[in-house]
Amino acid sequence: MSGTLSSLNTALSALRYNRVAMDVASHNIANVATEGYNRRRVDGESMGAPVVPARWSTYEGAGSGVRTSSIVRMNDVLLDNRARTEHSSLSYLQLRATALARMESGVGEPGDSGVSAAMADFRSSWQDLANDPGGNAARGQVLARAESLAGALAAQAANVSAEMTTQRLTLQGSVAEVNTVATELAATNRAIATAALDGVDVSDLADTRDVLGLRLAELTGGVGLLQPDGTMDVSVAGVALVSGSTAGTLRIATGVTASGGPDGSPVTFAIDHGATSTTLTADVRGEVGASADLLNTTLPAYAAGLGAVARDLADTVNAVHAAGYDLDGTTGTAFFSYDPADPAATLTVAVTARQVAASSLPGGVLDGSNADVIGTAGTPEGSYQRLVNGFGTEVASAQRLVRTQSLLTTQVDSAREQLSGVNLDEETVAMLTAQRAYEAAARVMSVMDSVLDTLINRTGIG
């Protein structure tokens, strides 16, 4: 009789275990499209003989069935760390490449409406004036093309300024998101620690934790470190941002005002924990780092190069123009004026048509030799060409790096997906296997019920 009842318990354990297996497979299938979900697997263990049998007796059973030892979350910590690293690099490169491509479209080179074409037209107009120094049309054409050149330079300067404004606003938005995600991660860490103490399964919380850690890596290049209690600490540029259930606040220390304007200083960051503030001395990566690098290095360098071209052009033309004479015999007049703080954006024509100094001879003599010199003086075209070529090379390099990093990131994500992703075919097989095992265990109970019915109700009946 005891053996029969033991068989009932064994069948009951099989029913319980396979019901859990079907529930887990169903849960996996339900979350096949859930972002950050890691599939689950049921691990069972055999319930064998007692470890210490009663004295003067032996165990004659064949085991006591099966029980659920754990529900395992299928993930690899090393792959998760690698994914955060690669996604951080990809986010940095993608934001940088997108901004540079946007800038390149505004440069408009080569093309008929760019600075290079405006320079060529400006030079040509001086040659035309040299051939007709007294003509009002030729003089008007010089002024018109000079204004077009100044407008082309101002348009490029405005394009750079607009991109810098965009990046400052983007940076503020990214920093705000960092602080929101950090707060959510700290709250998730608190929930994980509490649930673990209560013996509750934390797989869903762990999925949320990993999604938040990955997003922080994409935003800042933050390094996530799992703790023994299942929580994740995140540091940015070597400074703790999230420690257990406590989240710091990332702050733009210098470079950007509260309204999104520049404050004249390079962009720097600090992390505040209560009254304690720590300035970040190492480079920040991710989207925040890309915006900071654009604001601190790339965009100011191009603006400075464009300003140098405008200054070189204006100073060269002004020097030759001031040595010539206009229609009234006046000399020493500058052709261009500009603000030294921002030459490209402020370059303007400072003379009228009559004041254009085409002659190298005094007394109002109609002579075009000075106009001829202005048409060939200086090398601003070469400086501008080097600036544009260098920028084009930088854009092409950024796009190549994005393609390379995308391939590497895809490989890491594929490796994670093979382990953690839900395969509907596999889950269907697992569910059918558990279903058949459940039916078999139920059949064992039916057989045991029949045996017990025979023993209890029919044995000894005459």
Side-chain angles (χ1 to χ4, degrees), residues 283-335:
D283 291 337
V284 179
R285 300 293 292 176
E287 295 176 14
V288 170
S291 292
D293 285 350
L294 288 167
L295 289 170
N296 286 342
T297 305
T298 306
L299 298 179
Y302 188 84
L306 190 64
V309 170
R311 185 183 298 107
D312 179 29
L313 170 69
D315 291 347
T316 300
V317 172
N318 286 347
V320 180
H321 189 269
Y325 298 88
D326 61 16
L327 285 178
D328 298 323
T330 304
T331 189
T333 305
F335 185 84

mmCIF file of all heavy atoms in Angstrom, residues 283-335:
data_model
loop_
_atom_site.group_PDB
_atom_site.id
_atom_site.type_symbol
_atom_site.label_atom_id
_atom_site.label_comp_id
_atom_site.label_asym_id
_atom_site.label_seq_id
_atom_site.Cartn_x
_atom_site.Cartn_y
_atom_site.Cartn_z
ATOM 1 N N ASP A 283 36.861 61.209 -20.558
ATOM 2 C CA ASP A 283 35.915 61.451 -21.642
ATOM 3 C C ASP A 283 34.625 60.672 -21.423
ATOM 4 O O ASP A 283 34.648 59.505 -21.047
ATOM 5 C CB ASP A 283 36.521 61.043 -22.985
ATOM 6 C CG ASP A 283 37.649 61.961 -23.412
ATOM 7 O OD1 ASP A 283 37.683 63.107 -22.936
ATOM 8 O OD2 ASP A 283 38.499 61.524 -24.211
ATOM 9 N N VAL A 284 33.512 61.333 -21.667
ATOM 10 C CA VAL A 284 32.205 60.677 -21.672
ATOM 11 C C VAL A 284 31.951 60.165 -23.082
ATOM 12 O O VAL A 284 32.280 60.829 -24.063
ATOM 13 C CB VAL A 284 31.104 61.666 -21.251
ATOM 14 C CG1 VAL A 284 29.735 61.001 -21.289
ATOM 15 C CG2 VAL A 284 31.384 62.222 -19.858
ATOM 16 N N ARG A 285 31.381 58.977 -23.190
ATOM 17 C CA ARG A 285 31.112 58.405 -24.508
ATOM 18 C C ARG A 285 29.608 58.403 -24.762
ATOM 19 O O ARG A 285 28.860 59.137 -24.126
ATOM 20 C CB ARG A 285 31.677 56.970 -24.581
ATOM 21 C CG ARG A 285 33.172 56.891 -24.363
ATOM 22 C CD ARG A 285 33.950 57.537 -25.489
ATOM 23 N NE ARG A 285 33.827 56.772 -26.731
ATOM 24 C CZ ARG A 285 34.337 57.155 -27.881
ATOM 25 N NH1 ARG A 285 34.991 58.290 -27.965
ATOM 26 N NH2 ARG A 285 34.197 56.412 -28.972
ATOM 27 N N GLY A 286 29.166 57.588 -25.691
ATOM 28 C CA GLY A 286 27.748 57.535 -26.005
ATOM 29 C C GLY A 286 27.268 58.816 -26.665
ATOM 30 O O GLY A 286 28.049 59.620 -27.182
ATOM 31 N N GLU A 287 25.970 59.006 -26.650
ATOM 32 C CA GLU A 287 25.366 60.170 -27.307
ATOM 33 C C GLU A 287 25.789 61.477 -26.636
ATOM 34 O O GLU A 287 26.037 62.483 -27.315
ATOM 35 C CB GLU A 287 23.844 60.027 -27.291
ATOM 36 C CG GLU A 287 23.336 58.839 -28.107
ATOM 37 C CD GLU A 287 21.832 58.659 -27.996
ATOM 38 O OE1 GLU A 287 21.155 59.599 -27.517
ATOM 39 O OE2 GLU A 287 21.322 57.582 -28.384
ATOM 40 N N VAL A 288 25.880 61.457 -25.316
ATOM 41 C CA VAL A 288 26.309 62.660 -24.597
ATOM 42 C C VAL A 288 27.730 63.026 -24.984
ATOM 43 O O VAL A 288 28.042 64.198 -25.250
ATOM 44 C CB VAL A 288 26.198 62.438 -23.075
ATOM 45 C CG1 VAL A 288 26.864 63.576 -22.310
ATOM 46 C CG2 VAL A 288 24.735 62.320 -22.658
ATOM 47 N N GLY A 289 28.611 62.045 -25.056
ATOM 48 C CA GLY A 289 29.999 62.303 -25.426
ATOM 49 C C GLY A 289 30.132 62.792 -26.854
ATOM 50 O O GLY A 289 30.972 63.658 -27.149
ATOM 51 N N ALA A 290 29.302 62.269 -27.765
ATOM 52 C CA ALA A 290 29.362 62.709 -29.159
ATOM 53 C C ALA A 290 28.982 64.177 -29.282
ATOM 54 O O ALA A 290 29.643 64.954 -29.981
ATOM 55 C CB ALA A 290 28.446 61.839 -30.017
ATOM 56 N N SER A 291 27.909 64.577 -28.595
ATOM 57 C CA SER A 291 27.502 65.981 -28.640
ATOM 58 C C SER A 291 28.571 66.883 -28.039
ATOM 59 O O SER A 291 28.864 67.969 -28.566
ATOM 60 C CB SER A 291 26.178 66.172 -27.886
ATOM 61 O OG SER A 291 25.107 65.538 -28.563
ATOM 62 N N ALA A 292 29.172 66.441 -26.947
ATOM 63 C CA ALA A 292 30.222 67.242 -26.310
ATOM 64 C C ALA A 292 31.427 67.392 -27.223
ATOM 65 O O ALA A 292 32.001 68.487 -27.342
ATOM 66 C CB ALA A 292 30.632 66.597 -24.984
ATOM 67 N N ASP A 293 31.834 66.311 -27.899
ATOM 68 C CA ASP A 293 32.984 66.392 -28.811
ATOM 69 C C ASP A 293 32.695 67.305 -29.993
ATOM 70 O O ASP A 293 33.569 68.061 -30.438
ATOM 71 C CB ASP A 293 33.348 64.990 -29.310
ATOM 72 C CG ASP A 293 34.059 64.171 -28.244
ATOM 73 O OD1 ASP A 293 34.432 64.757 -27.206
ATOM 74 O OD2 ASP A 293 34.237 62.962 -28.448
ATOM 75 N N LEU A 294 31.483 67.230 -30.521
ATOM 76 C CA LEU A 294 31.111 68.128 -31.621
ATOM 77 C C LEU A 294 31.172 69.588 -31.181
ATOM 78 O O LEU A 294 31.663 70.452 -31.912
ATOM 79 C CB LEU A 294 29.715 67.792 -32.131
ATOM 80 C CG LEU A 294 29.579 66.494 -32.939
ATOM 81 C CD1 LEU A 294 28.116 66.123 -33.110
ATOM 82 C CD2 LEU A 294 30.250 66.620 -34.298
ATOM 83 N N LEU A 295 30.681 69.865 -29.975
ATOM 84 C CA LEU A 295 30.650 71.242 -29.481
ATOM 85 C C LEU A 295 32.025 71.747 -29.081
ATOM 86 O O LEU A 295 32.323 72.939 -29.212
ATOM 87 C CB LEU A 295 29.693 71.343 -28.285
ATOM 88 C CG LEU A 295 28.204 71.216 -28.608
ATOM 89 C CD1 LEU A 295 27.379 71.083 -27.335
ATOM 90 C CD2 LEU A 295 27.719 72.411 -29.422
ATOM 91 N N ASN A 296 32.864 70.848 -28.584
ATOM 92 C CA ASN A 296 34.182 71.276 -28.096
ATOM 93 C C ASN A 296 35.248 71.302 -29.181
ATOM 94 O O ASN A 296 36.180 72.113 -29.108
ATOM 95 C CB ASN A 296 34.652 70.352 -26.970
ATOM 96 C CG ASN A 296 33.907 70.584 -25.676
ATOM 97 O OD1 ASN A 296 33.282 71.620 -25.491
ATOM 98 N ND2 ASN A 296 33.946 69.614 -24.786
ATOM 99 N N THR A 297 35.126 70.423 -30.180
ATOM 100 C CA THR A 297 36.236 70.244 -31.120
ATOM 101 C C THR A 297 35.824 70.416 -32.576
ATOM 102 O O THR A 297 36.290 71.332 -33.263
ATOM 103 C CB THR A 297 36.857 68.843 -30.927
ATOM 104 O OG1 THR A 297 37.227 68.681 -29.563
ATOM 105 C CG2 THR A 297 38.084 68.672 -31.803
ATOM 106 N N THR A 298 34.958 69.551 -33.070
ATOM 107 C CA THR A 298 34.705 69.471 -34.509
ATOM 108 C C THR A 298 34.086 70.742 -35.074
ATOM 109 O O THR A 298 34.598 71.328 -36.034
ATOM 110 C CB THR A 298 33.801 68.272 -34.811
ATOM 111 O OG1 THR A 298 34.377 67.085 -34.241
ATOM 112 C CG2 THR A 298 33.662 68.077 -36.316
ATOM 113 N N LEU A 299 32.971 71.174 -34.506
ATOM 114 C CA LEU A 299 32.277 72.346 -35.043
ATOM 115 C C LEU A 299 33.069 73.641 -34.842
ATOM 116 O O LEU A 299 33.164 74.454 -35.774
ATOM 117 C CB LEU A 299 30.884 72.462 -34.423
ATOM 118 C CG LEU A 299 29.938 71.280 -34.717
ATOM 119 C CD1 LEU A 299 28.594 71.479 -34.029
ATOM 120 C CD2 LEU A 299 29.746 71.101 -36.211
ATOM 121 N N PRO A 300 33.666 73.877 -33.676
ATOM 122 C CA PRO A 300 34.508 75.086 -33.544
ATOM 123 C C PRO A 300 35.696 75.093 -34.497
ATOM 124 O O PRO A 300 36.083 76.162 -34.989
ATOM 125 C CB PRO A 300 34.970 75.032 -32.080
ATOM 126 C CG PRO A 300 33.926 74.250 -31.380
ATOM 127 C CD PRO A 300 33.482 73.214 -32.377
ATOM 128 N N ALA A 301 36.263 73.920 -34.777
ATOM 129 C CA ALA A 301 37.403 73.862 -35.695
ATOM 130 C C ALA A 301 36.980 74.272 -37.101
ATOM 131 O O ALA A 301 37.698 75.024 -37.780
ATOM 132 C CB ALA A 301 38.003 72.454 -35.704
ATOM 133 N N TYR A 302 35.823 73.788 -37.545
ATOM 134 C CA TYR A 302 35.362 74.178 -38.882
ATOM 135 C C TYR A 302 35.001 75.657 -38.917
ATOM 136 O O TYR A 302 35.306 76.360 -39.889
ATOM 137 C CB TYR A 302 34.158 73.338 -39.306
ATOM 138 C CG TYR A 302 33.771 73.575 -40.754
ATOM 139 C CD1 TYR A 302 34.412 72.887 -41.770
ATOM 140 C CD2 TYR A 302 32.806 74.513 -41.096
ATOM 141 C CE1 TYR A 302 34.091 73.115 -43.104
ATOM 142 C CE2 TYR A 302 32.474 74.748 -42.418
ATOM 143 C CZ TYR A 302 33.119 74.046 -43.424
ATOM 144 O OH TYR A 302 32.808 74.289 -44.737
ATOM 145 N N ALA A 303 34.348 76.153 -37.860
ATOM 146 C CA ALA A 303 34.000 77.575 -37.806
ATOM 147 C C ALA A 303 35.254 78.441 -37.835
ATOM 148 O O ALA A 303 35.291 79.483 -38.514
ATOM 149 C CB ALA A 303 33.187 77.859 -36.547
ATOM 150 N N ALA A 304 36.298 78.005 -37.110
ATOM 151 C CA ALA A 304 37.550 78.761 -37.103
ATOM 152 C C ALA A 304 38.205 78.739 -38.479
ATOM 153 O O ALA A 304 38.737 79.756 -38.948
ATOM 154 C CB ALA A 304 38.498 78.189 -36.052
ATOM 155 N N GLY A 305 38.158 77.585 -39.156
ATOM 156 C CA GLY A 305 38.720 77.489 -40.506
ATOM 157 C C GLY A 305 37.979 78.372 -41.490
ATOM 158 O O GLY A 305 38.593 79.041 -42.331
ATOM 159 N N LEU A 306 36.656 78.378 -41.389
ATOM 160 C CA LEU A 306 35.854 79.229 -42.277
ATOM 161 C C LEU A 306 36.126 80.705 -41.986
ATOM 162 O O LEU A 306 36.223 81.527 -42.911
ATOM 163 C CB LEU A 306 34.372 78.914 -42.083
ATOM 164 C CG LEU A 306 33.402 79.529 -43.099
ATOM 165 C CD1 LEU A 306 33.673 78.979 -44.492
ATOM 166 C CD2 LEU A 306 31.955 79.247 -42.680
ATOM 167 N N GLY A 307 36.266 81.046 -40.711
ATOM 168 C CA GLY A 307 36.585 82.422 -40.353
ATOM 169 C C GLY A 307 37.941 82.842 -40.873
ATOM 170 O O GLY A 307 38.129 83.990 -41.317
ATOM 171 N N ALA A 308 38.908 81.906 -40.840
ATOM 172 C CA ALA A 308 40.241 82.214 -41.358
ATOM 173 C C ALA A 308 40.193 82.474 -42.862
ATOM 174 O O ALA A 308 40.899 83.359 -43.376
ATOM 175 C CB ALA A 308 41.200 81.065 -41.044
ATOM 176 N N VAL A 309 39.374 81.714 -43.587
ATOM 177 C CA VAL A 309 39.227 81.933 -45.027
ATOM 178 C C VAL A 309 38.638 83.314 -45.285
ATOM 179 O O VAL A 309 39.123 84.071 -46.143
ATOM 180 C CB VAL A 309 38.332 80.839 -45.647
ATOM 181 C CG1 VAL A 309 37.965 81.182 -47.081
ATOM 182 C CG2 VAL A 309 39.038 79.486 -45.605
ATOM 183 N N ALA A 310 37.583 83.670 -44.549
ATOM 184 C CA ALA A 310 36.950 84.987 -44.732
ATOM 185 C C ALA A 310 37.924 86.109 -44.382
ATOM 186 O O ALA A 310 37.990 87.134 -45.086
ATOM 187 C CB ALA A 310 35.699 85.073 -43.866
ATOM 188 N N ARG A 311 38.690 85.932 -43.304
ATOM 189 C CA ARG A 311 39.659 86.960 -42.903
ATOM 190 C C ARG A 311 40.756 87.105 -43.952
ATOM 191 O O ARG A 311 41.152 88.236 -44.311
ATOM 192 C CB ARG A 311 40.261 86.598 -41.554
ATOM 193 C CG ARG A 311 41.199 87.665 -40.987
ATOM 194 C CD ARG A 311 41.827 87.210 -39.686
ATOM 195 N NE ARG A 311 40.820 86.967 -38.661
ATOM 196 C CZ ARG A 311 40.454 85.773 -38.225
ATOM 197 N NH1 ARG A 311 41.005 84.673 -38.755
ATOM 198 N NH2 ARG A 311 39.541 85.647 -37.302
ATOM 199 N N ASP A 312 41.250 85.983 -44.447
ATOM 200 C CA ASP A 312 42.306 86.017 -45.467
ATOM 201 C C ASP A 312 41.806 86.714 -46.729
ATOM 202 O O ASP A 312 42.502 87.559 -47.317
ATOM 203 C CB ASP A 312 42.746 84.581 -45.764
ATOM 204 C CG ASP A 312 43.832 84.514 -46.821
ATOM 205 O OD1 ASP A 312 44.613 85.481 -46.933
ATOM 206 O OD2 ASP A 312 43.901 83.496 -47.546
ATOM 207 N N LEU A 313 40.598 86.358 -47.142
ATOM 208 C CA LEU A 313 40.021 86.981 -48.331
ATOM 209 C C LEU A 313 39.881 88.492 -48.139
ATOM 210 O O LEU A 313 40.315 89.287 -48.988
ATOM 211 C CB LEU A 313 38.651 86.361 -48.614
ATOM 212 C CG LEU A 313 37.801 87.063 -49.683
ATOM 213 C CD1 LEU A 313 38.421 86.876 -51.060
ATOM 214 C CD2 LEU A 313 36.363 86.537 -49.654
ATOM 215 N N ALA A 314 39.275 88.899 -47.010
ATOM 216 C CA ALA A 314 39.031 90.321 -46.778
ATOM 217 C C ALA A 314 40.339 91.096 -46.649
ATOM 218 O O ALA A 314 40.491 92.179 -47.245
ATOM 219 C CB ALA A 314 38.185 90.492 -45.515
ATOM 220 N N ASP A 315 41.298 90.565 -45.905
ATOM 221 C CA ASP A 315 42.553 91.279 -45.694
ATOM 222 C C ASP A 315 43.344 91.409 -46.993
ATOM 223 O O ASP A 315 43.949 92.467 -47.264
ATOM 224 C CB ASP A 315 43.400 90.563 -44.638
ATOM 225 C CG ASP A 315 42.800 90.666 -43.242
ATOM 226 O OD1 ASP A 315 41.872 91.482 -43.061
ATOM 227 O OD2 ASP A 315 43.250 89.932 -42.336
ATOM 228 N N THR A 316 43.328 90.352 -47.789
ATOM 229 C CA THR A 316 44.060 90.398 -49.063
ATOM 230 C C THR A 316 43.443 91.417 -50.007
ATOM 231 O O THR A 316 44.144 92.256 -50.591
ATOM 232 C CB THR A 316 44.058 89.008 -49.723
ATOM 233 O OG1 THR A 316 44.692 88.072 -48.857
ATOM 234 C CG2 THR A 316 44.812 89.037 -51.043
ATOM 235 N N VAL A 317 42.118 91.355 -50.172
ATOM 236 C CA VAL A 317 41.435 92.298 -51.057
ATOM 237 C C VAL A 317 41.568 93.726 -50.524
ATOM 238 O O VAL A 317 41.825 94.673 -51.285
ATOM 239 C CB VAL A 317 39.952 91.905 -51.218
ATOM 240 C CG1 VAL A 317 39.189 92.987 -51.976
ATOM 241 C CG2 VAL A 317 39.837 90.569 -51.945
ATOM 242 N N ASN A 318 41.412 93.888 -49.216
ATOM 243 C CA ASN A 318 41.503 95.233 -48.629
ATOM 244 C C ASN A 318 42.888 95.848 -48.833
ATOM 245 O O ASN A 318 43.007 97.055 -49.102
ATOM 246 C CB ASN A 318 41.179 95.180 -47.139
ATOM 247 C CG ASN A 318 39.696 94.995 -46.868
ATOM 248 O OD1 ASN A 318 38.873 95.141 -47.774
ATOM 249 N ND2 ASN A 318 39.349 94.673 -45.637
ATOM 250 N N ALA A 319 43.928 95.033 -48.695
ATOM 251 C CA ALA A 319 45.290 95.561 -48.832
ATOM 252 C C ALA A 319 45.529 96.083 -50.247
ATOM 253 O O ALA A 319 46.093 97.165 -50.448
ATOM 254 C CB ALA A 319 46.301 94.479 -48.470
ATOM 255 N N VAL A 320 45.107 95.310 -51.263
ATOM 256 C CA VAL A 320 45.316 95.741 -52.646
ATOM 257 C C VAL A 320 44.373 96.875 -52.991
ATOM 258 O O VAL A 320 44.746 97.852 -53.667
ATOM 259 C CB VAL A 320 45.136 94.550 -53.606
ATOM 260 C CG1 VAL A 320 45.345 94.986 -55.048
ATOM 261 C CG2 VAL A 320 46.092 93.425 -53.246
ATOM 262 N N HIS A 321 43.116 96.785 -52.518
ATOM 263 C CA HIS A 321 42.136 97.813 -52.823
ATOM 264 C C HIS A 321 42.544 99.159 -52.223
ATOM 265 O O HIS A 321 42.361 100.219 -52.855
ATOM 266 C CB HIS A 321 40.756 97.388 -52.306
ATOM 267 C CG HIS A 321 39.642 98.267 -52.757
ATOM 268 N ND1 HIS A 321 39.200 99.367 -52.036
ATOM 269 C CD2 HIS A 321 38.871 98.234 -53.886
ATOM 270 C CE1 HIS A 321 38.219 99.947 -52.676
ATOM 271 N NE2 HIS A 321 37.971 99.275 -53.807
ATOM 272 N N ALA A 322 43.080 99.143 -51.027
ATOM 273 C CA ALA A 322 43.476 100.390 -50.377
ATOM 274 C C ALA A 322 44.630 101.075 -51.094
ATOM 275 O O ALA A 322 44.827 102.288 -50.962
ATOM 276 C CB ALA A 322 43.855 100.122 -48.925
ATOM 277 N N ALA A 323 45.393 100.302 -51.889
ATOM 278 C CA ALA A 323 46.517 100.887 -52.630
ATOM 279 C C ALA A 323 46.075 101.477 -53.958
ATOM 280 O O ALA A 323 46.869 102.147 -54.636
ATOM 281 C CB ALA A 323 47.592 99.824 -52.860
ATOM 282 N N GLY A 324 44.844 101.252 -54.362
ATOM 283 C CA GLY A 324 44.356 101.756 -55.634
ATOM 284 C C GLY A 324 43.541 103.029 -55.483
ATOM 285 O O GLY A 324 43.397 103.575 -54.382
ATOM 286 N N TYR A 325 42.968 103.461 -56.617
ATOM 287 C CA TYR A 325 42.225 104.712 -56.645
ATOM 288 C C TYR A 325 40.849 104.471 -57.255
ATOM 289 O O TYR A 325 40.706 103.700 -58.212
ATOM 290 C CB TYR A 325 42.978 105.752 -57.475
ATOM 291 C CG TYR A 325 44.339 106.085 -56.902
ATOM 292 C CD1 TYR A 325 45.464 105.339 -57.264
ATOM 293 C CD2 TYR A 325 44.486 107.149 -56.013
ATOM 294 C CE1 TYR A 325 46.704 105.638 -56.740
ATOM 295 C CE2 TYR A 325 45.740 107.467 -55.489
ATOM 296 C CZ TYR A 325 46.848 106.708 -55.851
ATOM 297 O OH TYR A 325 48.081 107.005 -55.329
ATOM 298 N N ASP A 326 39.850 105.166 -56.683
ATOM 299 C CA ASP A 326 38.500 105.031 -57.219
ATOM 300 C C ASP A 326 38.263 106.074 -58.310
ATOM 301 O O ASP A 326 39.203 106.773 -58.729
ATOM 302 C CB ASP A 326 37.469 105.150 -56.095
ATOM 303 C CG ASP A 326 37.510 106.492 -55.380
ATOM 304 O OD1 ASP A 326 38.113 107.447 -55.921
ATOM 305 O OD2 ASP A 326 36.925 106.589 -54.282
ATOM 306 N N LEU A 327 37.024 106.230 -58.747
ATOM 307 C CA LEU A 327 36.723 107.158 -59.838
ATOM 308 C C LEU A 327 37.015 108.614 -59.473
ATOM 309 O O LEU A 327 37.275 109.438 -60.345
ATOM 310 C CB LEU A 327 35.255 107.015 -60.248
ATOM 311 C CG LEU A 327 34.900 105.762 -61.064
ATOM 312 C CD1 LEU A 327 33.404 105.733 -61.355
ATOM 313 C CD2 LEU A 327 35.692 105.720 -62.361
ATOM 314 N N ASP A 328 36.991 108.915 -58.182
ATOM 315 C CA ASP A 328 37.267 110.281 -57.731
ATOM 316 C C ASP A 328 38.730 110.488 -57.371
ATOM 317 O O ASP A 328 39.083 111.552 -56.846
ATOM 318 C CB ASP A 328 36.391 110.611 -56.510
ATOM 319 C CG ASP A 328 34.911 110.558 -56.846
ATOM 320 O OD1 ASP A 328 34.549 110.972 -57.963
ATOM 321 O OD2 ASP A 328 34.129 110.083 -56.002
ATOM 322 N N GLY A 329 39.561 109.474 -57.583
ATOM 323 C CA GLY A 329 40.979 109.567 -57.256
ATOM 324 C C GLY A 329 41.284 109.344 -55.790
ATOM 325 O O GLY A 329 42.410 109.588 -55.341
ATOM 326 N N THR A 330 40.311 108.871 -55.037
ATOM 327 C CA THR A 330 40.508 108.619 -53.606
ATOM 328 C C THR A 330 41.187 107.270 -53.414
ATOM 329 O O THR A 330 40.864 106.289 -54.111
ATOM 330 C CB THR A 330 39.171 108.642 -52.859
ATOM 331 O OG1 THR A 330 38.534 109.902 -53.115
ATOM 332 C CG2 THR A 330 39.362 108.457 -51.370
ATOM 333 N N THR A 331 42.075 107.157 -52.438
ATOM 334 C CA THR A 331 42.786 105.912 -52.152
ATOM 335 C C THR A 331 42.660 105.576 -50.670
ATOM 336 O O THR A 331 42.189 106.388 -49.861
ATOM 337 C CB THR A 331 44.270 106.027 -52.541
ATOM 338 O OG1 THR A 331 44.881 104.739 -52.439
ATOM 339 C CG2 THR A 331 45.014 106.998 -51.615
ATOM 340 N N GLY A 332 43.106 104.355 -50.317
ATOM 341 C CA GLY A 332 43.139 103.945 -48.904
ATOM 342 C C GLY A 332 41.833 103.429 -48.360
ATOM 343 O O GLY A 332 41.666 103.309 -47.145
ATOM 344 N N THR A 333 40.882 103.100 -49.215
ATOM 345 C CA THR A 333 39.570 102.623 -48.759
ATOM 346 C C THR A 333 39.542 101.092 -48.702
ATOM 347 O O THR A 333 39.966 100.429 -49.655
ATOM 348 C CB THR A 333 38.462 103.110 -49.703
ATOM 349 O OG1 THR A 333 38.537 104.541 -49.804
ATOM 350 C CG2 THR A 333 37.094 102.703 -49.177
ATOM 351 N N ALA A 334 39.050 100.539 -47.598
ATOM 352 C CA ALA A 334 38.902 99.083 -47.469
ATOM 353 C C ALA A 334 37.663 98.628 -48.229
ATOM 354 O O ALA A 334 36.605 99.279 -48.161
ATOM 355 C CB ALA A 334 38.791 98.687 -46.012
ATOM 356 N N PHE A 335 37.778 97.523 -48.944
ATOM 357 C CA PHE A 335 36.651 97.011 -49.721
ATOM 358 C C PHE A 335 35.671 96.252 -48.825
ATOM 359 O O PHE A 335 34.454 96.394 -48.968
ATOM 360 C CB PHE A 335 37.170 96.092 -50.830
ATOM 361 C CG PHE A 335 36.107 95.612 -51.767
ATOM 362 C CD1 PHE A 335 35.702 96.394 -52.847
ATOM 363 C CD2 PHE A 335 35.491 94.382 -51.582
ATOM 364 C CE1 PHE A 335 34.710 95.960 -53.705
ATOM 365 C CE2 PHE A 335 34.503 93.941 -52.452
ATOM 366 C CZ PHE A 335 34.111 94.737 -53.516
#
